[in-house]
């Protein structure tokens, strides 16, 4: 992670931050965001939650009434600037101090151009990572669901697979 890192309860951190990354289990998504609505007003909220279920056959995408976790966030946080990103970045790789570079692209989706540009730049601060605009927020369900496929790839090949967009 690098730099100066500190922590506090969700409400305190949300109130102090300019950009907030939501990385929580799907089961607590709506209730957590509802509890932070006031603190997140006016902020860029980066939702990287993947609504997934798991059974004996592996990971699978769950239906979301609003279309995607990111769209749910936008509905719950009407005064925030919601962007979908970081769905396919391995937490294992991010947290491993031995990993100097991560070879992947982060697809960034949203309806606010300035917010998506900010999140693309944030992604690009990670060595080896490139932020790539991936379309409007209404397409976030495709990105969230694709994570189930990457989990299957990672299990089969004992890897931390990511995505690269070519010719961009």
């Amino acid at each position: 992670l690098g730099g100066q890192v500190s922590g506090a309860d969700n409400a305190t951190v949300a109130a102090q931050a300019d950009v907030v990354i939501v990385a929580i289990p799907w089961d607590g998504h709506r209730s957590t965001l509802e509890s932070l609505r006031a603190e997140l007003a006016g902020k860029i909220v980066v939702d990287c939650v993947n609504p997934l279920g798991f059974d004996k056959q592996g990971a699978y995408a769950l239906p979301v009434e609003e279309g995607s976790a990111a769209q749910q966030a936008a509905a719950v946080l009407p005064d925030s600037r919601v962007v979908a990103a970081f769905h396919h970045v391995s937490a294992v790789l991010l947290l491993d101090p031995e990993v100097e570079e991560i070879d992947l692209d982060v697809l960034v989706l949203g309806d606010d151009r300035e917010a998506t540009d900010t999140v693309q730049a944030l992604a690009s601060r990670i060595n080896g990572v490139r932020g790539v605009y991936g379309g409007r927020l209404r397409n976030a369900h495709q990105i969230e669901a694709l994570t189930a496929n990457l989990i299957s790839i990672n299990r089969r090949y004992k890897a931390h697979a990511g995505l690269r967009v070519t010719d961009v």
Side-chain angles (χ1 to χ4, degrees), residues 57-59 146-158:
Q57 295 180 27
L146 184 60
T147 302
N149 301 94
L150 286 173
I151 289 170
S152 296
I153 291 167
N154 290 336
R155 285 186 176 164
R156 167 68 65 91
Y157 297 101
K158 298 182 181 8

Side-chain angles (χ1 to χ4, degrees), residues 12-20 39 43:
T12 300
V13 171
Q16 293 175 352
D18 296 320
V19 177
V20 175
E39 292 84 357
K43 311 282 177 88

Side-chain angles (χ1 to χ4, degrees), residues 10 21-33 48-50:
N10 288 340
I21 297 177
V22 178
I24 58 176
W26 169 241
D27 290 345
H29 188 256
R30 178 186 294 277
S31 61
T32 300
L33 295 178
C48 61
V49 173
N50 295 306

Side-chain angles (χ1 to χ4, degrees), residues 113-155:
R113 177 74 179 259
E114 183 183 20
T116 57
D117 288 350
T118 297
V119 176
Q120 284 178 255
L122 179 64
S124 295
R125 293 194 58 175
I126 301 168
N127 287 338
V129 174
R130 180 177 62 159
V132 177
Y133 176 73
R136 297 285 193 163
L137 203 60
R138 69 181 181 189
N139 291 322
H141 67 282
Q142 297 162 300
I143 303 306
E144 295 168 3
L146 184 60
T147 302
N149 301 94
L150 286 173
I151 289 170
S152 296
I153 291 167
N154 290 336
R155 285 186 176 164

